[in-house]
Amino acid sequence: MVSLAPGIVVNGVKISPEQINFEVQYHPAATLEDARYAAMKALVMRELLLQRAAEIGVGAGSPASSPNEDELIELLLDAEVSVPDPSEEECLRYYQNNLIKFVSSPLFEVSHILYLAPPEDKDLFLEAQQRAEKTLEILALSPERFAKIAEEESACSSRECGGHLGQISRGQTLPQFEKSLFQMKEGEISSSPVASEVGYHIIKVHKRAEGQQMTFDMVRGAIAAYLKDRSWQSAFNQYLQLLTGRAKISGFRMKAADTSRWYNR
């Protein structure tokens, strides 16, 4: 039998246990309790926004097709939550204070040999590690054999071209693979097998081109959009706190300063 969360009343409007438990599916969390809290918060905030929209007449006098609830919330937020565009000085200051964020990714030309094994199969994973270690011993003496071994042993389709993966930059490979790759130098073969969620890799870096500092002109638009979104989220959270503070809510208690991270515009 499914355990129902208690109902909630927001300014006299009831949110039923069934609504809450249906909403839970949209809020994955580490525990069921956390998921239910997130679902209840989302429903309460949504109800407060819809009530405010009705209070000030948002959507009244609209064309024949009346706005749905999501459209009403958008119209309400357009009317009551606004922030100015960031100035050129604000954007430049953010750029100068965060230069490291505006460096392009290094670019690598890479080959690899993959020994396939799912980590949950401990025996196969150990066997893959041992095969990779044996190959590294061979490559330590004869690095020129890399492509031939890849053709014969790699479980990746890249074996058809000697393990060659082409050019790779940030975000294009598995996290564990990328972490090791970014620590390697041009011409280097990984010193030990690189474990990932698919098995063990031996990586060879043919070429490495370091990332370049992007100019302010190149990122001005992205910075302005980021700063405006950050300001809007702050104003939105303050707006929700105002609505929550003057509302009568039973069956749910908001955690301190917890109106954020449920609505993305």
Side-chain angles (χ1 to χ4, degrees), residues 17-29:
E18 291 77 14
Q19 287 175 281
I20 295 167
N21 282 276
F22 182 81
E23 180 73 17
V24 164
Q25 65 184 304
Y26 302 114
H27 302 274

Side-chain angles (χ1 to χ4, degrees), residues 172-207:
Q172 294 184 315
T173 62
L174 296 169
Q176 306 95 322
F177 188 105
E178 180 176 290
K179 182 179 179 180
S180 294
L181 176 61
F182 274 54
Q183 295 172 354
M184 295 176 65
K185 301 176 182 178
E186 187 170 306
E188 186 178 4
I189 295 175
S190 47
S191 59
S192 59
V194 177
S196 78
E197 60 194 61
V198 298
Y200 278 93
H201 310 257
I202 298 173
I203 304 171
K204 180 176 181 178
V205 177
H206 300 283
K207 295 181 180 179

Side-chain angles (χ1 to χ4, degrees), residues 10-255:
V10 180
N11 292 327
V13 177
K14 184 174 181 181
I15 298 172
S16 71
E18 291 77 14
Q19 287 175 281
I20 295 167
N21 282 276
F22 182 81
E23 180 73 17
V24 164
Q25 65 184 304
Y26 302 114
H27 302 274
T31 67
L32 179 58
E33 180 181 358
D34 289 342
R36 280 185 173 169
Y37 173 81
M40 293 165 78
K41 178 179 71 172
L43 290 171
V44 168
M45 295 296 100
R46 185 178 183 85
E47 181 59 36
L48 286 173
L49 291 170
L50 291 172
Q51 289 181 17
R52 177 59 179 168
E55 179 185 347
I56 66 172
V58 168
S62 295
S65 58
S66 299
N68 61 35
E69 290 186 348
D70 289 336
E71 291 169 339
L72 282 174
I73 290 174
E74 285 291 336
L75 290 170
L76 172 68
L77 296 179
D78 286 341
E80 299 212 307
V81 182
S82 62
V83 294
D85 292 329
S87 67
E88 184 83 354
E89 291 75 19
E90 289 174 311
C91 293
L92 181 58
R93 183 165 58 251
Y94 183 85
Y95 172 77
Q96 292 172 336
N97 291 336
N98 297 274
L99 288 174
I100 194 169
K101 292 184 178 181
F102 304 108
V103 176
S104 63
S105 170
L107 186 63
F108 301 85
E109 184 180 343
V110 181
S111 292
H112 83 143
I113 301 169
L114 171 63
Y115 293 97
L116 189 66
E120 60 271 18
D121 189 324
K122 294 182 179 179
D123 290 338
L124 280 179
F125 205 63
L126 178 59
E127 180 184 341
Q129 180 184 13
Q130 292 171 341
R131 291 180 64 197
E133 289 173 345
K134 183 177 179 180
T135 295
L136 280 174
E137 292 176 0
I138 296 171
L139 292 174
L141 298 174
S142 306
E144 71 280 0
R145 294 182 60 187
F146 190 100
K148 182 64 173 177
I149 295 175
E151 291 174 1
E152 295 173 348
E153 299 191 14
S154 182
C156 178
S157 59
S158 64
R159 66 180 178 273
E160 296 177 4
C161 49
H164 193 247
L165 294 173
Q167 292 186 335
I168 291 176
S169 60
R170 183 177 287 111
Q172 294 184 315
T173 62
L174 296 169
Q176 306 95 322
F177 188 105
E178 180 176 290
K179 182 179 179 180
S180 294
L181 176 61
F182 274 54
Q183 295 172 354
M184 295 176 65
K185 301 176 182 178
E186 187 170 306
E188 186 178 4
I189 295 175
S190 47
S191 59
S192 59
V194 177
S196 78
E197 60 194 61
V198 298
Y200 278 93
H201 310 257
I202 298 173
I203 304 171
K204 180 176 181 178
V205 177
H206 300 283
K207 295 181 180 179
R208 173 174 179 151
E210 297 301 332
Q212 301 296 315
Q213 182 71 55
M214 291 180 275
T215 66
F216 175 63
D217 286 343
M218 294 170 64
V219 296
R220 179 194 283 111
I223 291 174
Y226 168 76
L227 292 178
K228 186 167 185 177
D229 180 69
R230 189 173 68 175
S231 295
W232 189 91
Q233 287 293 337
S234 177
F236 173 63
N237 291 338
Q238 292 175 7
Y239 179 67
L240 286 180
Q241 289 169 9
L242 177 65
L243 293 183
T244 302
R246 72 184 193 184
K248 185 176 180 180
I249 302 171
S250 62
F252 177 74
R253 182 183 294 275
M254 185 78 68
K255 295 176 183 177

